[in-house]
Amino acid sequence: MKNTNENIKVLIADDEVEFSSTLQTRLNLRNFQATMVNSGEATLKAVEEEKPDVLLLDLKMPDLDGLEVLARLKDDHKDMKVIILTGHGSFEVGREGMELGAFDYIMKPVDLKVLIAKIEEAYSSI
Amino acid sequence: MKIADVILPKSLKSSIDLGLDRRSYGQFRLILFLIMIAITAIPATTIALLGYSNYKNLLQKDEQSQLKWQMDGSVGSIEQMVESLKSVVQFAARRDRYEELNTGNNLKVLFERLQGQYPSFADLGVVDQKGIQRAYYGPYNLEGTDYSGEDWFKEVLDRGLHISPVYRGYRFVPHFAIAVSNYDPTTQRAWVLRATIEAETLQQYVSTIKTEATDDLFLIDEEGVLQTNSDYFGRTLNRTELETEPGVRADVLMAGENPLVAVGNIKSTPWSLVIIKKGYINKNEWRSFRSELFFLFFTCMVISVVVIYTLVKLLTTLIRKADEIQIKMMQEAEHKDKLASIGRLASGVAHEINNPLAIINQKTGLIDDLIDMSADFEQKQMIVNSLKSIDNSVERCKAITHRLLGFARRTDVLFEHVSINETIKEVLLFLENAMMYNRIKLELKLQDDLPQIYSDRLQLQQIFLNILNNGIDAIGKDGTIVIISNLIAGDIRVVIQDDGGGIPEDLLPQIFEPFFTTKETGKGTGLGLSITYGLVKKLGGDITVRSNVGKGTAFSITLPVNEMES
């Protein structure tokens, strides 16, 4: 496993704990600094506290919609890259997310290699 | 329920009211035909009948007045002839001749002189006031006969003149008598001169006035007894049932004929003149009118029937076509509706499945990571293989759900000005190898000056890619794919046709439905055309398919030029 990822802070925002915890473990195994949250409010808070480099954002969470989270974070955290990672995607939603400043839009399930490549691409574009 | 709903037969109702029932075009045609025939035939028949009866009346009146005129003339002539006969007798019976005629052979001299003028004079007699015949000249010896009890004698004394009806005389020859009375100044007595005349005279009179125009002309007395011969009623002295009331009337005399009968009384005689004329029925004028009328009416009706039949047939065809179009449109709308709801359901299901798939995917990945880190153990390879197999299955599920959602992964979502022809050529770059390998020829008929459209290039590529892949699969090996692009009614139309196996007609309506596939299991997801359909709709266009089994299939995609530009 590579060591170049040590400095990349990744925040996983997803209400599917089984998914996010596993992804967190696997990213950490690959030397990312991965943390996770399970709701929209928690995401806003965690972003303030941890200042992640890359946010993996689910669109459908119980309290706040992913697009709403994105809209709130957009202006204050221009350095943070947001990758929308969701099973509830559609053409229109993806387009809206891109317009709100998301770096990219990926549909679940996604191969870890592809995801890591996208995270690295996002990080290097900061 | 409205009255119209009850009265109107099913076939005349609008197709909306008909619901699921099919219109009976035979009934529709029959009803329409009968109504139109009735509308034409009723006035035509009425006018024809009116014309028929009016003309008949007119001819009848004309004929009656002609007959009346003829009757008046004939009565006048007969009256004149009778008048002259009467004058002769009156002249012979001058008042002072009573004694003279009673003496010697003076009566004979008078008779012979009269017979010289009028050969039909049969005898002459002088009767005194008491009714005794004082002198007689004629074929019998009737001197001394007493007439005092006879009606004619009383009448002639009263009125001065008597003309008798025809009677059979002693010789069984029909006769009539003219008697005049006078007053003798010498004897201070009235006397009577009576002349008997053969009825043949009357027959001659009648014959002189009988013309071609009449069918029968004769005289009758007050009792209806014939005074001259008649063609219809026989010889003189036969009895008829005719009335002597003057006038013109239609009479039923013999079976099958309907002649006009004119009767006119002849002044100061017991006679009436009768003219019989066969009616208008036999006249040429009437016959030709009747056949002309019939011919005209018949021709009109035949023309009406032909025209109406043609019109009704035309109308029925038009309505049948309109109905078919309406039904087809309704079916299409229903089909589109169905596709849309299936699409919504499918994407909902895909969304729900993506999350558990992602968990499975991550868990197998984690297990894989953990095994990687651990030392070799007995079943390690088996576990790794199983994980691979789970991964493959997840991949397959993912392919399905991602296609259900219309696209796999999008980075740039952009509407831009796109050249359709360029987009088609870009797609063909991907497919060149596959087509060459399968020996599939390509024919491009792209219109050069097409306007650019405002659309999504990648989605257009996806659309063309799906349909072209379909065509390549349909052909297999050796064949031709034709791509045509042109501008139709302000929209851009792209037709992609292959000469593959074609799609049976009963399967055509289903080909845009998700999971419908004719490929063997595992080879196709059955989503390609469904996604293509969704994409075309999303871009504001339309896609239709025509296919002939054994000849090939043609997909026609219509795209708006200015859609979504605002």
Side-chain angles (χ1 to χ4, degrees), chain B residues 230-498:
Chain B
S230 156
D231 294 341
Y232 282 114
F233 298 100
R235 303 198 60 81
T236 310
L237 292 178
N238 275 5
R239 188 166 280 277
T240 72
E241 299 298 323
L242 291 169
E243 307 255 336
T244 53
E245 181 72 30
V248 178
R249 51 188 168 265
D251 215 331
V252 184
L253 291 172
M254 39 232 69
E257 291 191 58
N258 187 23
L260 287 174
V261 176
V263 179
N265 294 346
I266 291 160
K267 222 166 37 191
S268 64
T269 72
W271 301 316
S272 294
L273 181 69
V274 178
I275 300 178
I276 289 181
K277 195 172 180 191
K278 281 185 198 156
Y280 53 89
I281 292 170
N282 300 308
K283 267 195 158 177
N284 285 339
E285 203 181 340
W286 171 244
R287 278 185 188 155
S288 75
F289 169 75
R290 222 172 35 174
S291 59
E292 265 171 37
L293 186 73
F294 179 75
F295 176 75
L296 269 177
F297 179 73
F298 186 74
T299 315
C300 276
M301 287 320 293
V302 166
I303 291 172
S304 301
V305 167
V306 169
V307 169
I308 287 170
Y309 181 78
T310 317
L311 267 179
V312 164
K313 216 171 148 185
L314 206 76
L315 215 60
T316 311
T317 316
L318 279 179
I319 284 181
R320 187 199 296 263
K321 276 187 185 152
D323 278 356
E324 275 166 7
I325 289 170
Q326 194 166 8
I327 286 168
K328 205 177 156 194
M329 276 165 70
M330 275 161 72
Q331 280 172 346
E332 260 172 31
E334 220 171 276
H335 180 63
K336 281 177 184 168
D337 221 37
K338 191 172 142 198
L339 282 184
S341 46
I342 290 175
R344 274 195 298 280
L345 177 73
S347 69
V349 170
H351 282 149
E352 294 307 320
I353 287 172
N354 273 344
N355 279 326
L357 274 183
I359 294 170
I360 295 170
N361 179 258
Q362 287 307 319
K363 291 294 181 192
T364 53
L366 181 60
I367 295 169
D368 203 36
D369 289 349
L370 294 175
I371 287 175
D372 258 4
M373 287 185 289
S374 52
D376 277 3
F377 54 96
E378 208 181 327
Q379 289 92 358
K380 187 174 176 179
Q381 198 49 45
M382 246 171 97
I383 292 176
V384 168
N385 286 346
S386 297
L387 287 175
K388 275 246 152 49
S389 165
I390 294 175
D391 255 354
N392 284 341
S393 299
V394 169
E395 273 304 309
R396 267 172 71 182
C397 290
K398 183 178 139 184
I400 292 171
T401 58
H402 285 196
R403 297 197 85 176
L404 275 180
L405 289 170
F407 58 95
R409 181 173 165 272
R410 312 243 358 125
T411 48
D412 46 353
V413 186
L414 262 181
F415 271 78
E416 55 192 341
H417 290 287
V418 183
S419 157
I420 279 287
N421 290 348
E422 286 307 313
T423 311
I424 292 169
K425 283 172 188 161
E426 282 163 20
V427 171
L428 288 171
L429 287 177
F430 289 109
L431 298 170
E432 264 175 355
N433 283 333
M435 289 174 74
M436 232 158 58
Y437 176 74
N438 289 314
R439 295 188 298 276
I440 295 171
K441 276 183 285 178
L442 181 70
E443 259 180 59
L444 280 182
K445 295 177 182 171
L446 306 179
Q447 187 179 322
D448 288 334
D449 53 350
L450 286 180
Q452 292 204 323
I453 65 169
Y454 196 66
S455 195
D456 186 295
R457 196 166 55 90
L458 288 180
Q459 298 209 17
L460 286 174
Q461 285 183 353
Q462 180 83 49
I463 290 167
F464 297 136
L465 194 68
N466 282 352
I467 293 176
L468 284 167
N469 268 327
N470 237 62
I472 291 168
D473 287 347
I475 290 172
K477 282 197 189 322
D478 296 305
T480 310
I481 286 179
V482 184
I483 306 177
I484 304 159
S485 70
N486 49 23
L487 195 62
I488 285 189
D491 290 338
I492 284 182
R493 196 184 65 174
V494 178
V495 179
I496 297 175
Q497 60 187 56
D498 63 67

Side-chain angles (χ1 to χ4, degrees), chain B residues 47-67:
Chain B
I47 287 169
L49 288 178
L50 262 176
Y52 180 89
S53 72
N54 277 359
Y55 192 67
K56 190 167 150 182
N57 283 344
L58 204 69
L59 279 182
Q60 249 170 345
K61 270 187 191 143
D62 182 49
E63 205 147 62
Q64 283 183 1
S65 62
Q66 265 187 40
L67 197 58

